[in-house]
Amino acid sequence: MEEKLTRLNKFLSEAGYCSRRAADKLIEAGRVTINGVVPEMGTKVTETDVVEVDGKEIKGKDNAFVYLAFNKPVGIVCTTDTRVEKDNIIDFIKYPKRIFPIGRLDKPSEGLIFLTDDGDIVNKILRASNNHEKEYIVTVDKPISQTFIEHMSKGIYLEELDKTTKKCEVEKLGTHEFKIILTQGLNRQIRRMCEYLNYEVETLKRVRIMNIKLDVPVGKYREFTKTELTELTRLLEDSTKTFLSKTPPKQSRR
């Protein structure tokens, strides 16, 4: 397989170091090296080359992305609009780099949500046709019947959205608690489904997205492991690749 080649000025620009024009000036001034050697203008680099400016290594775009698994508390809003919403996820985490959430959990819900600066992975995960699994643990206000489980799993027509939910896996865990695995992301889907059957959601926690499980305390986050990211990439490989979008797409919530 041929190695991917990228012009040096483009590499520096996509890494967020400077514009291409500024990169050309740095290269011309001899301040940029590739594997310790000062390159000529127009030189291309591979993913394995070490690029430095004034002796400081510059990581390429593929290495620079941030992928976080965060356990969102109840009361935090999944928005990047920090001016309008004071209890927003960005101010809560205070991550030193610009990131945005993948999808949403509504304010009364808690659990796993991803944050990243990789717009490509956002698009792939949110695309409903990809059928990516999301698992939730839900408690409701009255005992769960077998009829409730059957209706939830077979699909429910939500008049306010004019959509019927896809068939899904639903399992009773206790008198008032059940597990549900969704492959679509309709607005407040689980709450609306329960309301249709005259149940009210008391707690809703997302515990898994695809291959990544919730394993950090409420209000804490961690980076994806290398194994998780490799497997996630494999699961997403059939999706169309559209590299880093500067603006995250419109997102749905539960």
Side-chain angles (χ1 to χ4, degrees):
M1 182 183 294
E2 290 186 2
E3 288 189 284
K4 180 182 176 181
L5 296 175
T6 305
R7 288 178 67 92
L8 182 54
N9 61 354
K10 182 180 179 184
F11 173 92
L12 291 172
S13 174
E14 290 182 335
Y17 186 81
C18 62
S19 68
R20 292 195 192 188
R21 182 174 297 179
D24 286 337
K25 292 180 179 179
L26 291 172
I27 296 166
E28 189 175 7
R31 295 171 56 187
V32 183
T33 61
I34 302 174
N35 303 323
V37 178
V38 176
E40 296 179 355
M41 192 68 71
T43 298
K44 295 182 178 181
V45 297
T46 69
E47 295 177 350
T48 58
D49 287 328
V50 177
V51 177
E52 295 179 324
V53 177
D54 296 331
K56 181 179 179 180
E57 184 176 356
I58 308 300
K59 294 290 187 180
K61 61 186 178 184
D62 292 329
N63 297 322
F65 287 138
V66 173
Y67 303 98
L68 302 180
F70 174 55
N71 189 346
K72 185 192 88 68
V74 171
I76 297 301
V77 180
C78 296
T79 180
T80 56
D81 194 342
T82 58
R83 296 169 299 176
V84 174
E85 179 54 66
K86 66 176 182 177
D87 295 322
N88 65 83
I89 194 169
I90 301 303
D91 284 344
F92 184 90
I93 289 181
K94 293 183 172 64
Y95 197 77
K97 188 175 181 181
R98 179 183 177 272
I99 55 176
F100 39 82
I102 303 180
R104 293 177 183 267
L105 279 172
D106 61 11
K107 193 171 184 177
S109 302
E110 65 177 286
L112 181 62
I113 188 164
F114 297 162
L115 293 105
T116 185
D117 55 353
D118 181 356
D120 179 49
I121 205 169
V122 174
N123 292 328
K124 289 178 178 179
I125 290 176
L126 292 182
R127 197 171 294 126
S129 61
N130 287 331
N131 296 319
H132 303 314
E133 288 188 350
K134 301 182 186 71
E135 181 177 337
Y136 303 81
I137 303 297
V138 186
T139 60
V140 289
D141 62 337
K142 56 187 178 182
I144 296 168
S145 66
Q146 185 58 35
T147 301
F148 173 87
I149 297 296
E150 290 175 358
H151 276 84
M152 291 286 285
S153 61
K154 290 179 180 178
I156 292 173
Y157 175 69
L158 303 177
E159 185 176 359
E160 59 270 46
L161 301 180
D162 192 25
K163 289 183 180 294
T164 299
T165 62
K166 291 182 179 181
K167 291 182 179 180
C168 60
E169 180 181 334
V170 184
E171 178 184 348
K172 183 177 178 180
L173 301 178
T175 304
H176 293 77
E177 185 179 59
F178 67 94
K179 175 181 74 174
I180 183 169
I181 300 175
L182 300 181
T183 56
Q184 66 184 141
L186 301 178
N187 184 26
R188 299 182 66 251
Q189 180 172 340
I190 295 172
R191 294 180 187 276
R192 292 180 189 274
M193 292 169 74
C194 289
E195 288 168 3
Y196 177 87
L197 297 171
N198 297 314
Y199 284 75
E200 183 177 340
V201 171
E202 293 189 334
T203 66
L204 190 157
K205 177 188 290 188
R206 184 156 61 199
V207 296
R208 178 174 65 87
I209 301 173
M210 300 175 70
N211 63 304
I212 299 178
K213 297 180 179 180
L214 181 67
D215 60 1
V216 292
V218 175
K220 301 297 182 181
Y221 65 83
R222 65 167 176 83
E223 295 182 352
F224 291 6
T225 66
K226 187 173 293 186
T227 300
E228 286 174 335
L229 188 55
T230 298
E231 175 63 10
L232 187 66
T233 301
R234 187 191 68 79
L235 293 171
L236 294 171
E237 64 186 3
D238 291 334
S239 300
T240 303
K241 185 170 180 62
T242 53
F243 217 94
L244 187 58
S245 169
K246 295 298 183 183
T247 304
K250 186 177 290 186
Q251 301 164 336
S252 59
R253 50 183 169 177
R254 307 290 178 278

